Amino acid sequence: DPNEDTEWNDILRQFGILPPKENPKDENEEMVLRLQKEAEVKPYERMNLKELEEAEDDFDEADREAIEKYRQQRLQEWKCLQRRQKYRELREICGEQYVKEVTNAPKDVWVIIHLYRSSIPMCSLVNKHLSLLARKFPEAKFLKAAVDSCIQNYHDSCLPTLLVYRTAEIKGRFIGVTQCGGIYLKVEELEWKLAEVGAIETDLEENPKKGIMNMMTLPVQNIPACEANDTKSSDAMKPHIT
């Protein structure tokens, strides 16, 4: 047997009559080598954008194209991270900041602003829910403003008022307790409302109020008050709300 481990076979191998005996493969060693190879990372893949710029001259020409592609990938990742971390909170603004913060917001950003009066319990509830949603959906801009700083003589029956903007246009509005969801409003219900107008991308699979009529007609006596207030306050709104 040429594969048998005997002295005679060893002599035959020395004279080249038999081929050299193959050493048995160490499976563990092979696995270690394979894992090491898979774990190899090019130096530039460990660097941030600033380090890449500083070390650019240290790489050879063969790596230039790969480095540029990697740089662009890291740049896009950084931009996405910056955008996700840009908001993350319900911020207070005043009427003088309305145009800058709402009307002139970046075109790809949804803006949700709550006009409130602190003496109205429903307004406090909406602010509480919006604070939670701002953290859950940091890519959207959540704002609140005391209504008196934006519109004079705004009727209490129209509060809370939620306005949803994109590209300087109102894409959705919820005016008064009923349209905002009622005094027992849950944060999931408000999340669904904002998702319906496109302001956020919810992971809720169905309307939390499914099967329940959550948009009721306002009492007749309250309608004229809102309409009258709308007419009287329209001029006052123009400097701050477009």
Side-chain angles (χ1 to χ4, degrees):
D1 184 357
N3 295 319
E4 190 176 357
D5 191 10
T6 64
E7 291 185 12
W8 177 246
N9 282 348
D10 288 341
I11 293 172
L12 293 177
R13 290 189 189 98
Q14 289 177 6
F15 285 97
I17 298 172
L18 290 178
K21 185 178 180 181
E22 293 184 1
N23 294 324
K25 294 182 178 179
D26 187 333
E27 293 184 0
N28 289 333
E29 183 179 354
E30 281 191 346
M31 182 178 294
V32 170
L33 291 174
R34 179 172 57 80
L35 292 175
Q36 285 178 343
K37 185 175 181 180
E38 290 177 355
E40 285 181 359
V41 179
K42 291 185 179 296
Y44 59 79
E45 293 181 349
R46 299 190 186 98
M47 297 181 177
N48 58 35
L49 291 173
K50 183 178 180 181
E51 291 170 338
L52 274 176
E53 184 176 354
E54 293 175 350
E56 188 172 3
D57 295 335
D58 297 334
F59 298 108
D60 56 38
E61 193 65 29
D63 279 334
R64 299 284 182 181
E65 185 176 346
I67 290 172
E68 182 57 29
K69 289 181 180 179
Y70 184 68
R71 189 206 307 274
Q72 293 302 321
Q73 177 185 337
R74 292 297 299 273
L75 185 60
Q76 290 302 317
E77 291 172 354
W78 179 81
K79 287 181 178 179
C80 289
L81 181 62
Q82 289 296 105
R83 177 172 174 177
R84 287 198 301 269
Q85 295 178 343
K86 189 171 184 179
Y87 302 114
R88 301 190 69 85
E89 64 177 352
L90 175 64
R91 290 196 300 113
E92 177 95 26
I93 67 168
C94 63
E96 294 177 355
Q97 299 170 291
Y98 205 105
V99 171
K100 176 184 176 182
E101 296 287 348
V102 180
T103 310
N104 293 340
K107 293 183 178 180
D108 61 341
V109 173
W110 286 89
V111 181
I112 300 99
I113 182 163
H114 175 211
L115 303 181
Y116 75 96
R117 187 166 283 130
S118 57
S119 60
I120 298 178
M122 180 66 182
C123 289
S124 299
L125 179 63
V126 170
N127 278 335
K128 178 182 176 182
H129 290 343
L130 289 177
S131 294
L132 296 174
L133 294 176
R135 291 195 290 272
K136 183 175 181 180
F137 302 98
E139 69 280 0
K141 191 175 186 179
F142 287 82
L143 303 171
K144 62 179 179 178
V147 68
D148 292 337
S149 73
C150 300
I151 311 170
Q152 295 299 315
N153 304 315
Y154 199 65
H155 203 280
D156 281 0
S157 64
C158 299
L159 295 172
T161 290
L162 273 174
L163 302 176
V164 181
Y165 281 80
R166 186 178 171 88
T167 61
E169 297 180 359
I170 295 180
K171 302 296 184 179
R173 68 182 80 203
F174 306 96
I175 299 175
V177 172
T178 301
Q179 288 192 16
C180 284
I183 60 174
Y184 300 109
L185 176 70
K186 296 180 179 179
V187 65
E188 294 83 5
E189 295 166 2
L190 184 54
E191 178 179 335
W192 187 267
K193 284 179 175 291
L194 296 177
E196 282 189 314
V197 297
I200 57 177
E201 293 185 7
T202 181
D203 54 5
L204 298 174
E205 294 183 358
E206 62 178 18
N207 188 343
K209 271 194 171 183
K210 187 177 180 180
I212 301 175
M213 183 179 293
N214 60 350
M215 293 296 291
M216 300 173 63
T217 306
L218 287 172
V220 175
Q221 62 268 27
N222 286 343
I223 295 175
C226 277
E227 289 179 347
N229 186 74
D230 250 0
T231 303
K232 293 178 182 178
S233 61
S234 59
D235 290 337
M237 294 171 67
K238 285 179 183 178
H240 309 305
I241 304 177
T242 303

